[in-house]
Amino acid sequence: MAVTLAQAINAALADEMEADPKVLMFGEDVGQLGGVFRVTDGLQERFGDKRCYDTPLAESGIIGTAIGLAMYGWRPVAEMQFDGFTYPAFEQIVSHLAKMPNRSRGTVKLPVTVRIPYGGGIGAVEHHSESPEAYWAHTAGLKVMTPGTPDDGYSMMRAAIRSDDPVIFLEPKRRYWMKSDTELPVTTEPTHEAVVRREGTDVTLFCYGPMVRTCLEAADQAADEGWSLEVVDLRSLSPLDTAAMVASVQRTGRAIVVHEAAMTLGIGAEVAARIQEGAFYHLEAPVLRATGFDTPYPPAKLEEYWLPDVDRILDAVERSLTF
Amino acid sequence: MAVTLAQAINAALADEMEADPKVLMFGEDVGQLGGVFRVTDGLQERFGDKRCYDTPLAESGIIGTAIGLAMYGWRPVAEMQFDGFTYPAFEQIVSHLAKMPNRSRGTVKLPVTVRIPYGGGIGAVEHHSESPEAYWAHTAGLKVMTPGTPDDGYSMMRAAIRSDDPVIFLEPKRRYWMKSDTELPVTTEPTHEAVVRREGTDVTLFCYGPMVRTCLEAADQAADEGWSLEVVDLRSLSPLDTAAMVASVQRTGRAIVVHEAAMTLGIGAEVAARIQEGAFYHLEAPVLRATGFDTPYPPAKLEEYWLPDVDRILDAVERSLTF
Amino acid sequence: MSTAASDPNDLLPPDEPVHLLDPDGTYHADPDHPLDLDDGQLRELYRMMVVTRKVDREAINLQRQGQLGVYASCMGQEAAQIGSAYALAADDWIFPSYRELGAALVREVDAAGFLHLYRGTWLSDHDPYAHNFGLMSIPIGTQALHAAGFAMGAAFDDNPIVTMTYFGDGGTSEGDPHEAMTFAGVFKAPVIFFVQNNQYAISVPLERQTAAPSLAHKAIGYGIPGFRVDGNDVLATYAVTRRAVERARQGHGPAFIEAMTYRMEAHTTSDDPTRYRTQEELDEAAKTDPIARMRNYLTARDLYDQDLEDGIEEQAKATATAVRAGIYDAEHGDPLELFEHVYDDPTGHFDHQREQLQAELAGAVDGEDL
Amino acid sequence: MSTAASDPNDLLPPDEPVHLLDPDGTYHADPDHPLDLDDGQLRELYRMMVVTRKVDREAINLQRQGQLGVYASCMGQEAAQIGSAYALAADDWIFPSYRELGAALVREVDAAGFLHLYRGTWLSDHDPYAHNFGLMSIPIGTQALHAAGFAMGAAFDDNPIVTMTYFGDGGTSEGDPHEAMTFAGVFKAPVIFFVQNNQYAISVPLERQTAAPSLAHKAIGYGIPGFRVDGNDVLATYAVTRRAVERARQGHGPAFIEAMTYRMEAHTTSDDPTRYRTQEELDEAAKTDPIARMRNYLTARDLYDQDLEDGIEEQAKATATAVRAGIYDAEHGDPLELFEHVYDDPTGHFDHQREQLQAELAGAVDGEDL
Ligand SMILES: Cc1ncc(C[n+]2csc(CCOP(=O)(O)OP(=O)(O)O)c2C)c(N)n1
Ligand SMILES: Cc1ncc(C[n+]2csc(CCOP(=O)(O)OP(=O)(O)O)c2C)c(N)n1
Ligand SMILES: [Mg+2]
Ligand SMILES: [Mg+2]
């Protein structure tokens, strides 16, 4: 059965709400409207307006009350409507959601899932195409995950909700309509593990979320060139699966990290730092990065020039191979 | 004349307020109290309570009004009382301070300096010892600088205020009382350049802010061991002086990045990524990191175990040399 | 006009919003809100509303034709925007959200330029200093602080200008307008917080934003007077705003105005309002249309005839046509501009990134020849 | 007691704070605030205030002796804290800031444990679920949202408990309490926002936080009743809080209470208040001392004698001594605990970092042998 990423996440939310009466879903416009991307479509109708409800327009309030609800014993799934609108909640996320369990010496658990549609490529106006994952992955106490396929959208979402740790769940919005031939429910690999999406021998592409598909396309094109690219979907951005990264580079000797976020201090920086440490003698060229630029996200008509695409990836591959 | 870092910054603020009547200084407790670290001591008395004033307790308000004041034509210097209390202002900093000049196609300049005492080592309670620099350095549109010496405290602060770009000015609070024998005013190197604080031949220590002194101590101790360490003070965290980093490693062949912030996606990740790219064939060992752990900042009695110190640095040096 | 409120209850809004025009155009004089508008100005208000609606409609069409990525219509809110913006002096500043086409047109911001944000040609397309009209602000409520800071800056400089910021009913829930009103109250900043209460924040109705008796009841919590006005009544909106503006200009500090209005269109062109409101509700709201009301008033006062209507229609059409021409198939600019405005002094930034893009543009990096 | 306010003006605070005891202990009956306390409870309130002050003083001493890194005294605010906390039922929850030693003692949180936060032994040292007392919250105002969320959670669960959160006059300026009150109003959450208006936020006086007629005037902006009380009057504080709590428990939603009090000590032990307030101001404030006032009242009612005083003094001393013993030279715990509580399931985290620290602790990594 063909299922889109948005449908898969919707199904995961519904199945988890069915399985566990403590799960609550809330945010701006998630109720009757079903979310601006319809990811929460039908949940209010099915589970009532106590289990799936609209909040006032206040992101710090959404996360702050999620913490209180979790302390009470609920299992909140909070939606931030867009990546760029998580910033008002930054203090609640960084100072409390990430730190309170540790502060409490483990007596307080905060099983909160923060759903964030993120990334660009949909022609949106400003603040609707941000890739804030590095902010969260740098913050100890959070788990950060992002599915690159509908199957992972379903399975990782269920795992995120079941996790007793706070999870930042980043949904690659431009892939919401990406389809997979899947029978739900489906269980994929554990959320903290990276997965090799395509094996190859010459260069590894490390990617996640929206760039998984782009990297697979790049690998297809590269094959015509005679280059064998391995594609590793990181899936979890905190923790990072260092062992899988190192293992792949031990095989290929070359690595490119691909993400939409700005290069400087993006996930690619950490991946590069870990690989050069963990696979120093295996590297035949430096780890390169094919990413967004160190400029604010551009206007819609220029985003194609800003976003990494097959060309930018293959250029990096070529630079790696000819280093 | 012996001058502390706090005094040097205070003098820079006073001199710049004197030189430019458009400079305003504001924040929580910066007026009559002179700031909780006395960095604004005497400014209100000298320049009046219109030029140096206390605000309501609202950090988003402080940065948001700073933006409005700058649009009007003032040159605001806004204090965030502590590192951990910048987070309520995150949205104003990331969505507006960093982006509005670009959004306006250059018609709006925001010459705002955000002063943030940061870092640990002073035995403080939670949220008073954070090292949030990576959040800012990942954000395009901001300049991020941090002095490691009183001379730089003076000179970089004056440069920051004069810059027409928004500057996050990170003050290493545990070094506020560090002295230097200086006659003010003093002009140091341009703010975007890294500076070699000590030359060496075996390994380079890259550091900034509070860790500059620690690295110099480490280099002293290492000398007894017969190891010659070079110490590079990055000074500017955005932009990073890649050329200086690469040049140093081309000389020494080995590098350790040292900072208090958590390792994952700290500045060290970016420094490592750039060095392995820019000095690939010169590296005799991977770039290593001696940093804080990937855990929330600990309670005061345990901070000595968390913070990088001479031992942790020299351990990394040894690992590098014996790699 | 009251000066500094000595009785705190003076800060509370009246029980009913100020209202001068009935939907049928009947005018009720109100000594507290005298009309200082001559016939030309009355026609001008009407004209601007009609032009706004026309351009607004054109924008919706342009979006449907794939020329704009998205558009947030101000249909139904023309009186609220134009009445309020018209009450400002030319030196005064406006800090808008993303829905203030009407206010932008009062400020003579080029309408096609305004829409280029929605096209995505650039992130904005007007010089704020040329119009005293700030950049559109998308993160809800954030611009309220810029308006407060700017007003503080003017007051520090003894410059008797006033700033006005627009935000929505939803916006009142965010922390930033709260902090903005706190600062404005404490510093007696000459800023008007103008809330267009259009009943919805996307799909979320007013009662999910607050349990307050009215939004204007928030003002007293900041020591600010709270006003309420029928926002579909352009004369009342003008008069109430005028009063608040003059009060601020005379040094009596900020004011909060809640304009009761209704968003006749979808939240944006991406929205499907049938999911959350009924046709009956819309039909009901349409009866209070601000443009029809003003036309009725002008007609009753013999200030309106077919010639006027034709002239205005023609002008509206011309503006819409110009907008269309300015947008349709407009090329984007030079992609290298991405690096131009990030920093005033970019020394050390973008090391090789500009070159990378340059190479990509030159086709040197080209998937095709792979 | 009024139930749902039908007249919005019922949400406004009275002109004067509720006050039952004069500084000399004279009691003024108030039919709206009957006292449902027996003699033992009256003495209990007094006893808790005295113990609080003693422990508070001990904490200041411990800080001076280098045993605590810093301490935020509640001296002068004992009545506000104890009167309000005492009005809650055992199942109700408290979400404190960092200054609520008095409220913590009402909740029987171990005083030495409480102070370990200030010592820096760990980031907190009590189980919130054992006392229904949340962790101290240092980022100003943030805990208000936790209290609102918890109250929403209780209401969703049809559990008739109430939550109370403390924050300061300065805290009312932050966005989070604003959002918390917005949520609480909309969801009718049973939460009491208890503001200790001690006149200062560190050095910044109340008039720099707001131009509002009173902090309690903020409540109406959320559809919440705003109460004001003399916070140095433990009986009034108890009675007003009690009323708000019962109202909330009966499903009538949140309340806001502004307790007028004064911070007799420095902001924290790191602060130098001589820079911003005068001895005269302090002397004036001392005249309204909450403990002396209650003692006068008990004396006048013949509920107080030397025996009682001695007994309480003894208990206070014993508690202070226990605190001292619990803090003095207390060892810190195992540094490896740094990695213990960050995640419930740390799989994949801390790769080698724990080992690094272990090695450092074992002296394997040791500067000394270099
Ligand atoms: C901080 C933030 N959160 C969420 C959004 C997404 N969003 C855009 S408009 C909107 C509703 C705004 O409602 P209101 O303030 O009433 O203004 P209106 O659109 O009705 O004019 C939302 C939630 C945003 N732009 N900014
Ligand atoms: C978000 C945030 N900003 C700044 C601070 C630093 N700070 C600690 S206490 C304080 C003053 C608080 O005043 P108030 O809310 O009146 O409470 P009080 O200390 O008087 O009890 C400040 C500014 C903080 N803890 N959190
Ligand atoms: Mg609205
Ligand atoms: Mg206070």
Side-chain angles (χ1 to χ4, degrees):
Chain A
M1 197 192 70
V3 55
T4 66
L5 176 63
Q7 286 165 344
I9 297 175
N10 178 270
L13 293 169
D15 290 353
E16 206 53 46
M17 287 175 84
E18 186 69 47
D20 181 352
K22 286 291 182 194
V23 175
L24 301 178
M25 172 74 233
F26 51 88
E28 295 156 9
D29 304 289
V30 300
Q32 225 173 319
L33 187 65
V36 293
F37 292 105
R38 303 294 180 267
V39 173
T40 56
D41 199 22
L43 298 180
Q44 182 173 83
E45 209 175 340
R46 178 154 163 210
F47 298 101
D49 63 4
K50 290 251 145 57
R51 302 263 326 267
C52 177
Y53 60 89
D54 288 332
T55 64
L57 208 178
E59 290 77 9
S60 192
I62 292 171
I63 302 299
T65 56
I67 291 170
L69 287 160
M71 287 181 76
Y72 183 84
W74 297 95
R75 200 166 269 274
V77 183
E79 176 177 300
M80 304 274 92
Q81 197 163 73
F82 281 90
D83 33 56
F85 308 135
T86 50
Y87 304 147
F90 198 81
E91 181 185 38
Q92 284 290 344
I93 294 176
V94 168
S95 294
H96 288 307
L97 187 61
K99 296 191 173 80
M100 197 188 286
N102 180 63
R103 178 183 307 145
S104 77
R105 236 166 173 152
T107 56
V108 176
K109 301 275 179 234
L110 294 180
V112 176
T113 302
V114 182
R115 294 185 40 238
I116 309 179
Y118 81 116
I122 63 162
V125 292
E126 210 188 344
H127 312 287
H128 292 72
S129 303
E130 306 259 306
S131 294
E133 60 269 23
Y135 297 136
W136 316 127
H138 180 52
T139 305
L142 301 175
K143 291 189 169 168
V144 183
M145 44 184 94
T146 179
T149 68
D151 296 32
D152 265 354
Y154 180 88
S155 183
M156 291 174 79
M157 175 54 83
R158 291 202 67 168
I161 299 174
R162 287 177 178 223
S163 167
D164 275 342
D165 289 311
V167 175
I168 305 291
F169 194 89
L170 295 159
E171 304 175 2
K173 68 170 90 80
R174 69 152 124 169
R175 303 296 181 217
Y176 270 144
W177 305 277
M178 174 174 72
K179 287 196 178 116
S180 137
D181 230 355
T182 305
E183 211 54 65
L184 297 181
V186 63
T187 303
T188 62
E189 293 82 354
T191 53
H192 62 276
E193 288 180 11
V195 169
V196 177
R197 294 276 171 228
R198 176 185 176 125
E199 294 192 356
T201 52
D202 294 334
V203 181
T204 307
L205 303 181
F206 291 102
C207 55
Y208 54 88
M211 285 292 111
V212 173
R213 181 153 123 185
T214 310
C215 285
L216 289 170
E217 286 166 17
D220 272 349
Q221 282 203 27
D224 303 340
E225 273 302 287
W227 299 336
S228 166
L229 304 191
E230 175 146 315
V231 177
V232 176
D233 178 355
L234 295 172
R235 301 169 79 247
S236 170
L237 306 182
S238 180
L240 279 165
D241 188 348
T242 313
M245 293 173 345
V246 168
S248 176
V249 173
Q250 284 175 342
R251 291 191 294 271
T252 61
R254 290 184 161 85
I256 317 288
V257 200
V258 182
H259 54 67
E260 293 190 10
M263 186 196 76
T264 295
L265 282 162
I267 299 291
E270 185 63 34
V271 172
R274 293 194 185 193
I275 289 175
Q276 60 93 37
E277 182 172 352
F280 188 71
Y281 286 121
H282 292 86
L283 274 177
E284 291 167 48
V287 183
L288 299 180
R289 292 177 279 177
T291 68
F293 297 125
D294 288 323
T295 71
Y297 196 88
K301 291 284 169 203
L302 298 178
E303 69 183 349
E304 62 174 303
Y305 302 100
W306 192 91
L307 287 167
D309 57 6
V310 168
D311 291 351
R312 192 173 298 160
I313 294 166
L314 293 183
D315 173 52
V317 168
E318 188 171 14
R319 282 190 287 128
S320 176
L321 284 166
T322 58
F323 186 79
Chain B
M1 200 191 71
V3 54
T4 66
L5 175 63
Q7 287 165 344
I9 297 174
N10 177 271
L13 293 169
D15 290 354
E16 207 53 45
M17 288 176 84
E18 186 69 46
D20 182 352
K22 286 290 182 195
V23 175
L24 302 178
M25 172 73 233
F26 51 87
E28 295 156 8
D29 304 290
V30 301
Q32 226 174 317
L33 187 65
V36 293
F37 291 105
R38 304 295 181 266
V39 173
T40 57
D41 198 24
L43 298 179
Q44 180 172 84
E45 208 175 340
R46 180 157 161 206
F47 297 101
D49 62 4
K50 290 250 145 59
R51 303 265 321 270
C52 177
Y53 61 88
D54 289 331
T55 63
L57 209 178
E59 290 77 12
S60 193
I62 292 170
I63 301 299
T65 56
I67 290 169
L69 287 160
M71 289 182 76
Y72 183 85
W74 297 96
R75 200 165 270 274
V77 184
E79 177 177 302
M80 304 273 95
Q81 196 163 76
F82 281 90
D83 33 58
F85 308 135
T86 51
Y87 303 147
F90 197 82
E91 181 184 38
Q92 284 290 344
I93 293 176
V94 167
S95 294
H96 288 307
L97 188 61
K99 296 192 173 81
M100 196 187 286
N102 180 63
R103 178 183 307 146
S104 77
R105 238 167 173 153
T107 57
V108 175
K109 300 275 177 238
L110 294 180
V112 175
T113 303
V114 182
R115 294 186 39 239
I116 309 178
Y118 82 116
I122 63 162
V125 291
E126 208 188 344
H127 311 287
H128 292 71
S129 304
E130 305 260 304
S131 294
E133 59 270 23
Y135 297 135
W136 317 125
H138 181 52
T139 304
L142 300 175
K143 290 189 169 170
V144 184
M145 43 186 94
T146 179
T149 67
D151 295 34
D152 265 355
Y154 180 88
S155 183
M156 293 174 77
M157 175 53 82
R158 292 203 66 168
I161 299 175
R162 287 178 179 222
S163 166
D164 274 343
D165 289 310
V167 175
I168 306 290
F169 194 89
L170 295 159
E171 304 175 3
K173 69 169 89 81
R174 70 153 123 169
R175 302 297 181 214
Y176 271 145
W177 304 276
M178 173 174 72
K179 288 199 176 113
S180 133
D181 227 356
T182 306
E183 210 55 65
L184 297 181
V186 65
T187 304
T188 61
E189 293 82 355
T191 53
H192 63 276
E193 289 180 12
V195 169
V196 178
R197 294 276 171 227
R198 176 184 176 128
E199 295 190 356
T201 52
D202 294 333
V203 181
T204 307
L205 303 181
F206 291 101
C207 56
Y208 53 88
M211 284 293 112
V212 174
R213 185 155 120 183
T214 311
C215 284
L216 288 170
E217 285 167 17
D220 271 350
Q221 282 203 28
D224 301 342
E225 275 301 287
W227 298 338
S228 165
L229 303 191
E230 176 146 313
V231 177
V232 176
D233 178 356
L234 296 172
R235 301 169 78 246
S236 170
L237 305 183
S238 178
L240 279 165
D241 188 348
T242 313
M245 292 172 347
V246 168
S248 176
V249 173
Q250 284 175 340
R251 290 190 296 271
T252 60
R254 291 183 159 86
I256 316 289
V257 202
V258 182
H259 55 65
E260 293 188 11
M263 187 195 74
T264 294
L265 282 163
I267 299 293
E270 185 63 34
V271 172
R274 293 194 186 195
I275 288 174
Q276 61 91 37
E277 182 173 352
F280 188 72
Y281 286 122
H282 291 87
L283 274 178
E284 291 166 47
V287 183
L288 299 179
R289 292 178 279 177
T291 68
F293 296 126
D294 287 325
T295 70
Y297 196 87
K301 291 285 169 203
L302 297 178
E303 69 183 348
E304 63 174 302
Y305 302 100
W306 192 90
L307 288 167
D309 58 6
V310 168
D311 291 351
R312 191 173 298 161
I313 294 166
L314 293 183
D315 173 52
V317 167
E318 188 171 12
R319 281 190 288 128
S320 175
L321 284 167
T322 58
F323 186 80
Chain C
M1 173 179 308
S2 93
T3 55
S6 42
D7 181 353
N9 291 330
D10 290 352
L11 302 174
L12 289 171
D15 286 342
E16 288 299 320
V18 174
H19 166 105
L20 301 177
L21 287 185
D22 288 345
D24 68 3
T26 310
Y27 177 76
H28 303 273
D30 173 350
D32 281 344
H33 299 93
L35 270 191
D36 55 358
L37 296 168
D38 63 28
D39 294 352
Q41 290 174 313
L42 291 169
R43 288 202 193 93
E44 178 76 353
L45 285 171
Y46 177 73
R47 184 188 63 77
M48 288 190 292
M49 290 199 289
V50 174
V51 174
T52 297
R53 185 162 294 183
K54 191 81 170 191
V55 174
D56 188 77
R57 179 56 47 193
E58 187 66 44
I60 293 172
N61 293 337
L62 285 167
Q63 195 280 334
R64 296 217 171 108
Q65 293 154 15
Q67 292 291 317
L68 302 180
V70 69
Y71 176 68
S73 166
C74 66
M75 184 177 169
Q77 303 179 213
E78 296 91 350
Q81 294 185 15
I82 286 164
S84 56
Y86 199 69
L88 293 176
D91 282 350
D92 296 337
W93 269 72
I94 289 178
F95 291 82
S97 77
Y98 44 80
R99 200 185 287 290
E100 278 77 40
L101 174 67
L105 293 182
V106 174
R107 278 305 163 110
E108 298 181 346
V109 174
D110 175 63
F114 183 88
L115 291 179
H116 270 296
L117 178 145
Y118 286 114
R119 181 169 172 81
T121 322
W122 192 258
L123 303 163
S124 77
D125 191 58
H126 76 279
D127 176 355
Y129 294 97
H131 303 273
N132 293 2
F133 190 83
L135 302 174
M136 278 194 255
S137 188
I138 293 173
I140 299 294
T142 51
Q143 68 277 11
L145 280 166
H146 310 156
F150 199 101
M152 287 166 62
F156 291 169
D157 199 28
D158 293 324
N159 179 351
I161 65 164
V162 171
T163 71
M164 183 155 72
T165 182
Y166 292 99
F167 51 94
D169 42 316
T172 63
S173 298
E174 290 278 10
D176 274 10
H178 164 77
E179 298 189 14
M181 292 192 271
T182 296
F183 274 67
V186 165
F187 292 98
K188 269 199 159 198
V191 47
I192 313 300
F193 299 100
F194 193 95
V195 174
Q196 292 175 75
N197 180 351
N198 65 5
Q199 313 300 325
Y200 286 95
I202 309 186
S203 72
V204 181
L206 182 63
E207 61 265 27
R208 261 291 140 110
Q209 300 300 340
T210 189
S214 81
L215 295 175
H217 277 85
K218 292 180 177 289
I220 192 171
Y222 309 99
I224 296 179
F227 300 108
R228 286 188 94 201
V229 65
D230 178 342
N232 283 9
D233 174 345
V234 71
L235 297 185
T237 303
Y238 168 81
V240 167
T241 310
R242 183 94 192 154
R243 185 174 154 174
V245 166
E246 289 319 316
R247 196 182 160 281
R249 201 185 306 289
Q250 286 157 32
H252 301 306
F256 180 101
I257 301 174
E258 177 186 12
M260 307 304 296
T261 181
Y262 191 86
R263 197 194 75 212
M264 291 300 297
E265 265 292 337
H267 167 70
T268 67
T269 47
S270 309
D271 180 35
D272 174 10
T274 64
R275 286 191 164 234
Y276 55 85
R277 64 183 188 185
T278 61
Q279 188 58 43
E280 293 74 65
E281 181 178 316
L282 267 180
D283 293 345
E284 205 48 48
K287 293 182 188 156
T288 67
D289 184 68
I291 294 184
R293 188 185 304 205
M294 187 62 180
R295 188 171 49 233
N296 292 341
Y297 169 72
L298 293 176
T299 307
R301 283 203 43 193
D302 269 341
L303 295 173
Y304 183 85
D305 58 24
Q306 196 55 43
D307 270 9
L308 179 70
E309 180 75 20
D310 292 348
I312 289 176
E313 266 302 314
E314 200 165 309
Q315 198 215 328
K317 225 166 126 185
T319 310
T321 307
V323 164
R324 192 174 188 76
I327 290 289
Y328 223 93
D329 288 343
E331 296 280 314
H332 62 67
D334 181 2
L336 289 170
E337 194 181 344
L338 294 182
F339 298 96
E340 286 312 299
H341 316 297
V342 185
Y343 295 98
D344 176 72
D345 172 11
T347 310
H349 279 281
F350 316 130
D351 285 344
H352 303 297
Q353 297 189 354
R354 208 175 178 282
E355 286 162 36
Q356 166 83 22
L357 179 55
Q358 228 154 2
E360 289 178 7
L361 292 170
V365 175
D366 198 335
E368 267 97 282
D369 50 48
L370 288 174
Chain D
M1 175 181 309
S2 94
T3 56
S6 42
D7 180 354
N9 291 329
D10 289 352
L11 301 174
L12 289 171
D15 287 340
E16 288 300 320
V18 173
H19 166 105
L20 300 177
L21 286 185
D22 288 345
D24 68 2
T26 310
Y27 177 75
H28 303 272
D30 173 351
D32 280 346
H33 299 94
L35 271 192
D36 55 357
L37 296 168
D38 63 27
D39 294 352
Q41 289 174 312
L42 291 169
R43 287 200 194 97
E44 177 76 352
L45 285 171
Y46 177 74
R47 185 188 63 77
M48 289 192 291
M49 291 199 288
V50 173
V51 173
T52 298
R53 185 161 295 181
K54 191 80 169 190
V55 174
D56 188 77
R57 180 55 48 191
E58 188 65 44
I60 293 173
N61 293 338
L62 285 167
Q63 195 280 333
R64 296 218 172 108
Q65 292 154 15
Q67 291 292 316
L68 301 179
V70 68
Y71 176 68
S73 166
C74 66
M75 183 180 171
Q77 302 179 213
E78 296 90 349
Q81 294 185 15
I82 287 164
S84 55
Y86 198 70
L88 294 176
D91 281 350
D92 297 337
W93 268 72
I94 289 177
F95 291 80
S97 77
Y98 44 81
R99 201 185 286 292
E100 279 77 40
L101 173 67
L105 293 182
V106 173
R107 279 306 163 112
E108 296 179 350
V109 173
D110 174 62
F114 184 87
L115 292 179
H116 270 297
L117 178 146
Y118 287 115
R119 181 170 172 83
T121 322
W122 192 258
L123 302 163
S124 76
D125 191 57
H126 75 280
D127 176 355
Y129 294 97
H131 303 274
N132 293 4
F133 190 83
L135 301 174
M136 278 195 256
S137 187
I138 292 173
I140 299 294
T142 52
Q143 68 279 9
L145 279 166
H146 310 157
F150 199 101
M152 287 165 62
F156 292 168
D157 200 27
D158 293 324
N159 179 351
I161 65 163
V162 171
T163 71
M164 181 155 71
T165 180
Y166 292 99
F167 50 93
D169 42 315
T172 62
S173 297
E174 289 279 9
D176 274 8
H178 164 78
E179 299 190 13
M181 292 191 272
T182 296
F183 274 67
V186 165
F187 292 97
K188 267 200 163 198
V191 46
I192 313 299
F193 299 100
F194 193 96
V195 174
Q196 293 175 75
N197 180 351
N198 66 4
Q199 312 301 325
Y200 286 96
I202 308 187
S203 72
V204 181
L206 181 62
E207 61 266 26
R208 260 293 139 109
Q209 299 300 340
T210 189
S214 80
L215 295 174
H217 278 84
K218 292 181 176 291
I220 192 170
Y222 309 99
I224 296 179
F227 300 108
R228 286 187 93 201
V229 64
D230 179 342
N232 284 9
D233 174 345
V234 71
L235 297 186
T237 303
Y238 167 80
V240 167
T241 311
R242 183 95 193 152
R243 185 174 152 173
V245 166
E246 287 320 315
R247 195 181 161 281
R249 201 185 306 287
Q250 285 157 30
H252 301 306
F256 179 100
I257 301 174
E258 177 186 12
M260 307 304 296
T261 181
Y262 191 87
R263 197 194 76 212
M264 292 300 297
E265 262 295 337
H267 168 70
T268 67
T269 47
S270 307
D271 180 34
D272 173 9
T274 63
R275 286 191 163 235
Y276 56 83
R277 65 183 187 185
T278 61
Q279 189 57 43
E280 292 77 63
E281 182 178 315
L282 267 179
D283 292 345
E284 205 48 49
K287 294 182 186 154
T288 68
D289 185 68
I291 294 183
R293 190 185 303 205
M294 187 61 179
R295 188 172 48 231
N296 292 341
Y297 169 72
L298 292 176
T299 307
R301 283 203 44 194
D302 269 340
L303 295 173
Y304 184 84
D305 59 21
Q306 195 56 42
D307 269 9
L308 179 69
E309 179 75 18
D310 292 349
I312 290 176
E313 266 303 313
E314 200 165 311
Q315 198 214 328
K317 225 166 127 185
T319 311
T321 306
V323 164
R324 190 174 189 78
I327 290 289
Y328 223 93
D329 289 342
E331 295 280 314
H332 62 67
D334 181 1
L336 289 170
E337 193 181 344
L338 296 182
F339 298 96
E340 286 313 300
H341 316 298
V342 184
Y343 295 99
D344 177 70
D345 171 10
T347 310
H349 279 282
F350 316 129
D351 285 344
H352 303 296
Q353 298 189 354
R354 208 174 178 282
E355 286 162 38
Q356 166 82 21
L357 179 55
Q358 228 154 0
E360 289 178 7
L361 292 170
V365 175
D366 197 335
E368 268 99 279
D369 50 47
L370 290 172

